[in-house]
């Protein structure tokens, strides 16, 4: 309605600014975790994630190379030269001030020469290169300690992901939970679709007594909290010998997803043109043929909508997996459960938590952005009006 | 057997069984039970068509009954009984409910749930309406919508981790890594441990759910706003209405039915909210809610009677929405 609302330019600016504020509010929390998952333990605890983008000033304690191995005789003195950053594995850093004792870490600026007494000296340049010289006795033992204040460029690492996903020796790794989640999700998404599609067709296009009542019952079941189903079904699963396991969780997800599936698909199928179906009937097609050859292909958007819903719901589910799948051995843990456990045992290790959370969030986000259209359409059709 | 192979096998068997069931049941009906030939061909076709809907419906109805219908009745029964050591159940009347009512934790959960029920739907709907109205007026609105909608794809557990980092607080001597505390400290305040301040921590948990649900409200309300007939807005402009008046007096009343739908849908989510509380505080520091209370009773205290009773309380709270939904669905069908 922007074409007729006669919006004033001052108001347009206000709208732009408010939307930017909303977007920033909604994006920041996720962005924080995302950035943190690419930082090292030290970086995360040393500074907030928002400082990761810009060069940061850090106090680093380093040591010159071991004089016993690296010293070179020059006249009657011995000299060790090298680069502090290369030896510490830091690249691109820039020293502003430095010192040789922890009490005055900014005693010298880059390029200065520090007198360590009795002719022993050390010179440190901005890029970390140093020359340290002294007599035989001074140039032995451990390397000279240097305290520097350096500006380090933004640095990101993939180590967290390598550690959480591809390190088989890491007992807290996400690889197993990832595959378990996948194993739960795919059958639990595919099977209800087929069962629900047939029922939805019957409710949409077949005449029989009690149809309206059944539809009302399904609308009612849409809102039944699944909390009610936990104990009776766990009992049932134990009684018929399924116990806790994949079969149980697949069945449970199929049951809990069924009302929404039937409701969404029926609403869509009812809107398909009556002519096509009646023509096919006149031509002698059976209901089974009409369903498989006409209705199913035409209902693809609705099937896709439901598939996305069910996928997101089963992938993100914690409660159903905890009740019907995860047993005492913990071999069948899923990602959501694994993350909750990490929250308990590794509450402060954000590099682990952030990475674990992002591994589990990444797949739904991909699905979300790739199929947003169907998701929106499903939402619009699925909310009872 | 490896679970992945088991999974593939299940898909094949499940899909195969479904297709096979529907195909052969139809064949059986048409060829064996009521063949469309012979002296009774006409009558047979009619009979077959009377039975066919039930063939199509049977698997779905069976699953619905077993996984949603039967548990409602069974939970009601369990809530009135008590497990006897060694197996079996004793009828105890309302003793479980009485025991539950005597527990302060239950009333804490009830109180918190009431706040959740008011705050989360109200804030999500308000933010959703705001976002819908604003993003519809600008060119890059779709990008903004995508971003506000995005948390819908994130699990409650993932959202809990995300917000735990936002709320993170450390002693004042250390560098703050939670953005809220960093702002507080930068403004000269003392760091706050958001999740352990009784009462107010409930609202910090609610913000997580508002953050997730606003996108849903926005998408539905934005579609409703676009459906408003332009003439009504034009007429208001000609009559000299201000943008505020147009929004609150012309647009909002016309989308009221949709607002109600959004509100009730989010209410349902709130009543079942479990993951957020379980992952962030686990009901400590007075943040208990009904769904988590029930989980505690079922799987920690192993008290199925009281657990079922609290599940029935959730069901009771859902019932008005259930009835209202059925009524409006029936009205629509007529």
């Amino acid at each position: 309605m922007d074409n007729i609302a006669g919006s004033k330019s001052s108001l347009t600016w206000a709208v732009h600014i408010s939307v930017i504020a909303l977007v920033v509010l909604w994006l920041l929390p996720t962005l924080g975790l995302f950035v943190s998952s690419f930082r090292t333990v030290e970086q995360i605890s040393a500074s907030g994630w928002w400082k990761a983008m810009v060069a940061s000033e850090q106090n680093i304690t380093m040591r010159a190379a071991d004089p016993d191995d690296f010293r070179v005789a020059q006249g009657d003195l011995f000299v060790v030269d090298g680069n502090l950053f290369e030896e510490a594995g830091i690249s691109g850093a820039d020293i502003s001030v430095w010192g040789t004792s922890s009490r005055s870490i900014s005693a010298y600026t880059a390029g200065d020469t520090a007198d360590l007494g009795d002719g022993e000296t050390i010179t440190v340049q901005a890029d970390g290169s140093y020359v340290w010289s002294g007599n035989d006795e001074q140039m032995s033992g451990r390397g000279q300690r240097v305290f520097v204040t350096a500006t380090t460029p933004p640095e990101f690492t993939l180590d967290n992901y390598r550690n959480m996903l591809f390190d088989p020796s890491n007992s807290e790794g996400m690889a197993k939970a990832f595959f378990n989640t996948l194993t739960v999700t795919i059958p639990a998404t595919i099977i209800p679709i087929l069962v629900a599609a047939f029922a939805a067709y019957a409710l949409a296009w077949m005449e029989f007594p009690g149809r309206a009542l059944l539809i009302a019952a399904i609308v009612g079941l849409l809102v039944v909290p699944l909390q009610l189903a936990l104990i009776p079904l766990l009992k049932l699963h134990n009684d018929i010998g399924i116990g806790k396991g994949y079969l149980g969780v697949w069945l449970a997800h199929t049951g809990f997803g069924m009302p929404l599936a039937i409701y969404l698909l029926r609403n869509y199928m009812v809107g398909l043109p009556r002519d096509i179906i009646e023509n096919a009937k006149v031509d002698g097609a059976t209901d089974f043929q009409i369903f498989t050859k006409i209705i199913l292909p035409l209902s693809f958007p609705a099937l896709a909508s439901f598939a996305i819903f069910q996928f997101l719901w089963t992938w993100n589910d914690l409660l159903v997996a905890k009740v019907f799948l995860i047993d005492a051995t913990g071999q069948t843990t899923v990602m959501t459960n694994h993350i909750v456990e990490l929250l308990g045992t590794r509450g402060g290790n954000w590099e682990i938590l952030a990475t674990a959370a992002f591994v589990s969030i990444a797949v739904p986000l991909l699905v979300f952005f790739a199929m947003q259209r169907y998701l929106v359409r499903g939402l619009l059709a699925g909310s009872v009006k | 057997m490896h679970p992945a192979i088991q999974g593939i096998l299940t898909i094949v068997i499940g899909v195969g069984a479904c297709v096979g069931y529907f195909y052969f049941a139809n064949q059986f009906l048409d060829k064996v039970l009521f063949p469309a030939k012979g002296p009774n061909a006409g009558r047979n076709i009619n009979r077959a068509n009377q039975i066919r809907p039930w063939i199509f419906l049977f698997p779905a109805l069976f699953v619905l009954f077993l996984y949603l219908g039967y548990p409602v009745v069974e939970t009601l029964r369990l809530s009135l009984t008590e497990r006897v050591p060694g197996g079996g159940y004793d009828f105890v009347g309302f003793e479980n409910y009485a025991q539950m009512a005597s527990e302060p934790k239950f009333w804490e959960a009830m109180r918190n749930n009431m706040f959740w029920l008011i705050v989360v739907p109200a804030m999500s709907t308000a933010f959703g309406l705001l976002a819908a109205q604003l993003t519809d007026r600008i060119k890059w609105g779709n990008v903004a919508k995508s971003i506000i909608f995005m948390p819908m794809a994130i699990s409650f557990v993932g959202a809990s981790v995300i917000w735990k980092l936002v709320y993170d607080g450390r002693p004042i001597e250390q560098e703050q890594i939670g953005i809220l505390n960093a702002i507080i400290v930068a403004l000269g305040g003392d760091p706050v441990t958001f999740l352990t301040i009784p009462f107010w921590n409930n609202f910090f948990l609610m913000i997580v759910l508002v953050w997730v649900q606003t996108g849903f409200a926005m998408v539905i309300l934005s579609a409703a706003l676009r459906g408003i007939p332009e003439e009504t807005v034009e007429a208001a402009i000609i009559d000299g209405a201000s943008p505020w008046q147009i929004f609150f007096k012309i647009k909002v009343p016309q989308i009221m039915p949709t607002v109600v739908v959004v509100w009730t849908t989010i209410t349902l989510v709130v009543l079942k909210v479990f993951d957020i509380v379980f992952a962030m505080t686990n009901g400590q520091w007075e943040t208990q809610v009904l769904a988590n209370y029930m989980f505690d009773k079922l799987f920690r205290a192993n008290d199925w009677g009281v657990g079922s009773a609290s599940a029935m309380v959730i069901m009771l709270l859902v019932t008005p929405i259930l009835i209202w939904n059925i009524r409006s669905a029936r009205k629509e069908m007529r």
Side-chain angles (χ1 to χ4, degrees):
Chain A
M1 256 141 284
D2 47 346
N3 51 338
I4 52 148
S7 46
K8 294 168 202 145
S9 59
S10 64
L11 215 61
T12 315
W13 275 111
V15 168
H16 277 283
I17 291 168
S18 324
V19 175
I20 289 172
L22 273 177
V23 166
V24 167
L25 264 179
W26 254 256
L27 198 57
L28 264 189
T30 320
L31 192 69
L33 200 74
F34 184 63
V35 171
S36 297
S37 73
F38 291 102
R39 305 180 78 203
T40 62
V41 197
E42 296 82 24
Q43 285 173 323
I44 290 176
S45 52
S47 62
W49 59 268
W50 53 93
K51 291 181 184 159
M53 308 297 185
V54 291
S56 63
E57 196 162 80
Q58 276 179 301
N59 296 323
I60 315 170
T61 308
M62 286 181 288
R63 233 175 233 288
D66 193 337
D68 295 333
D69 295 335
F70 292 99
R71 68 179 192 178
V72 183
Q74 267 184 12
D76 47 356
L77 289 177
F78 290 94
V79 173
V80 174
D81 61 359
N83 189 303
L84 289 169
F85 292 135
E86 273 170 25
E87 284 153 23
I90 302 169
S91 64
D94 203 20
I95 294 175
S96 51
V97 291
W98 58 281
T100 51
S101 111
S102 58
R103 269 166 296 157
S104 58
I105 58 170
S106 53
Y108 310 98
T109 54
D112 284 358
T113 301
D115 185 358
L116 301 171
D118 295 336
E120 186 185 359
T121 60
I122 182 162
T123 311
V124 178
Q125 306 292 342
D127 65 355
S129 57
Y130 62 90
V131 179
W132 173 32
S133 64
N135 60 30
D136 184 31
E137 190 196 333
Q138 286 159 340
M139 298 299 285
S140 61
R142 302 186 67 186
Q144 172 65 37
R145 272 203 301 176
V146 183
F147 303 86
V148 306
T149 301
T151 321
T152 49
E155 198 192 348
F156 297 102
T157 170
L158 285 171
D159 282 353
N160 296 333
Y161 286 92
R162 210 169 290 139
N163 184 26
M164 291 302 281
L165 275 177
F166 304 113
D167 183 1
S169 62
N170 181 3
S171 61
E172 287 173 340
M174 292 288 279
K176 191 176 70 183
F178 187 93
F179 282 111
N180 289 347
T181 301
L182 212 58
T183 314
V184 169
T185 306
I186 293 174
T189 305
I190 293 175
I191 292 171
I193 293 181
L194 204 63
V195 175
F198 274 97
Y201 172 73
L203 290 173
W205 287 104
M206 293 168 110
E207 293 288 340
F208 58 92
R211 189 173 76 158
L213 201 69
L214 271 183
I215 296 172
I218 284 162
V219 172
L221 288 179
L222 264 178
V223 305
V224 168
L226 66 88
Q227 267 85 2
L228 252 74
L230 301 182
I231 314 175
L233 290 180
L234 191 61
K235 207 152 67 86
L236 183 81
H237 281 180
N238 284 335
D239 288 347
I240 60 176
I242 297 176
K244 281 189 166 196
Y246 285 109
L247 190 59
V249 82
W250 289 326
L251 285 172
H253 276 310
T254 303
F256 299 147
M258 195 57 61
L260 183 69
I262 298 178
Y263 183 75
L264 270 183
L265 296 177
R266 190 204 88 95
N267 274 5
Y268 189 85
M269 287 178 187
V270 145
L272 294 175
R274 179 172 283 272
D275 297 354
I276 304 179
I277 292 155
E278 280 177 355
N279 282 345
K281 274 199 175 145
V282 170
D283 290 344
T286 64
D287 276 307
F288 188 75
Q289 284 170 326
I290 293 174
F291 176 76
T292 50
K293 301 254 166 67
I294 300 174
I295 300 282
L296 264 194
L298 283 180
S299 306
F300 176 76
L303 297 176
S305 299
F306 172 72
I308 297 167
F309 274 123
Q310 182 76 356
F311 174 81
L312 290 180
W313 151 243
T314 48
W315 185 279
N316 290 340
D317 159 75
L318 171 68
L319 185 57
V320 176
K322 261 189 119 54
V323 175
F324 294 109
L325 175 65
I326 298 160
D327 51 24
T329 64
Q331 283 302 306
T332 49
T333 186
V334 292
M335 280 195 285
T336 44
N337 184 58
H338 192 68
I339 293 170
V340 172
E341 276 170 11
L342 287 178
L343 271 175
T345 55
R346 298 300 211 113
N349 292 61
W350 282 105
E351 78 288 355
I352 291 178
L353 287 173
T355 313
F358 245 89
V359 168
S360 107
I361 292 171
V363 176
L365 279 187
L366 277 181
V367 171
F368 171 82
F369 282 115
M371 308 189 75
Q372 201 179 1
R373 208 156 39 99
Y374 293 110
L375 189 66
V376 170
R377 199 180 307 185
L379 272 186
L380 291 177
S383 49
V384 188
K385 291 198 192 74
Chain B
M1 190 165 35
H2 195 273
I5 302 167
Q6 201 190 341
I8 294 167
L9 215 64
T10 313
I11 297 177
V12 173
I13 293 173
V15 173
C18 279
V19 174
Y21 160 79
F22 287 113
Y23 182 76
F24 288 111
N26 274 288
Q27 287 288 317
F28 180 72
L29 192 65
D30 289 330
K31 298 279 152 63
V32 183
L33 211 53
F34 298 114
K37 56 189 176 205
N40 297 329
R43 207 189 66 188
N44 277 356
I45 288 176
N46 282 343
R47 278 194 179 167
N49 283 343
Q50 275 171 6
I51 294 176
R52 200 181 323 276
W54 300 104
I55 290 180
F56 275 55
L57 282 168
F58 173 73
L61 290 187
F62 180 75
V63 169
L64 276 179
F65 170 76
L66 193 65
Y67 277 83
L68 288 167
Y70 152 78
V72 175
V73 183
E74 177 70 3
T75 302
L76 179 63
R77 191 182 73 84
L78 284 174
S79 75
L80 300 174
T81 58
E82 198 174 325
R83 265 200 289 190
V84 185
Y89 298 87
D90 265 353
F91 181 79
V92 293
F94 287 96
E95 218 166 87
N96 289 322
Y97 290 89
Q99 190 196 332
M100 185 170 71
S102 69
E103 280 184 29
K105 262 291 178 196
F106 170 74
W107 291 108
E108 179 194 313
M110 281 297 270
R111 180 201 70 179
N112 291 342
N113 251 74
M114 290 307 136
F115 281 115
W116 279 82
L117 281 177
I118 297 164
V119 173
V120 176
M123 279 179 71
S124 306
T125 313
F127 273 120
L129 196 57
L130 182 75
Q133 169 69 10
L134 293 179
T135 52
D136 273 348
R137 298 167 65 117
I138 54 174
K139 274 193 193 137
W140 54 285
N142 279 337
V143 180
K145 267 194 189 137
S146 273
I147 289 170
I148 297 175
F149 193 32
M150 184 185 71
M152 280 288 286
I154 296 175
S155 60
F156 287 144
V157 173
S160 303
V161 178
I162 287 174
W163 281 87
K164 262 204 144 165
L165 181 59
V166 172
Y167 290 142
D168 191 86
R170 297 167 149 214
I172 184 108
E173 318 84 65
Q174 291 178 30
E175 179 101 3
Q176 297 299 326
I177 63 167
I179 194 159
L180 282 181
N181 272 317
I183 293 170
I184 291 174
V185 169
L187 295 176
D190 280 340
V192 181
T193 49
F194 287 96
L195 294 177
T196 55
I197 314 165
F199 190 67
W200 296 109
N201 50 8
N202 283 301
F203 295 90
F204 298 127
L205 294 185
M206 288 174 208
I207 287 173
V208 181
L209 192 57
V210 172
W211 180 74
V212 173
Q213 290 294 324
T214 296
F216 163 76
M218 176 195 66
V219 165
I220 309 253
L221 293 172
S222 153
L225 282 175
R226 284 194 197 143
I228 292 176
E230 288 205 11
E231 302 86 64
T232 58
V233 181
E234 276 169 23
I237 291 171
I238 292 169
D239 289 347
S242 72
W244 289 106
Q245 284 175 317
I246 293 174
F247 183 67
F248 283 109
K249 298 210 167 137
I250 308 291
K251 287 184 171 177
V252 170
Q254 292 195 66
I255 59 163
M256 219 46 206
T258 315
V259 172
V260 174
V261 168
V262 169
W263 193 291
T264 51
T265 310
I266 297 176
T267 304
L268 290 172
V269 176
V270 171
L271 278 172
K272 299 180 217 168
V273 68
F274 159 76
D275 313 31
I276 293 178
V277 176
F278 183 75
M280 289 185 86
T281 62
N282 199 5
Q284 288 169 286
W285 307 294
E286 297 179 28
T287 54
Q288 191 65 292
V289 291
L290 277 177
N292 194 51
Y293 173 82
M294 187 205 133
F295 189 85
D296 261 359
K297 283 288 161 205
L298 285 190
F299 298 105
R300 296 230 180 83
N302 225 355
D303 187 341
W304 287 15
V306 176
S308 299
S310 53
M312 286 315 290
V313 173
I314 300 178
M315 183 67 206
L316 205 68
L317 292 171
V318 168
T319 308
I321 300 174
L322 186 146
I323 293 168
W324 187 81
N325 270 1
I326 292 178
R327 280 177 60 178
S328 50
R330 296 199 72 146
K331 222 183 288 165
E332 203 179 77
M333 260 186 285
R334 265 186 220 121

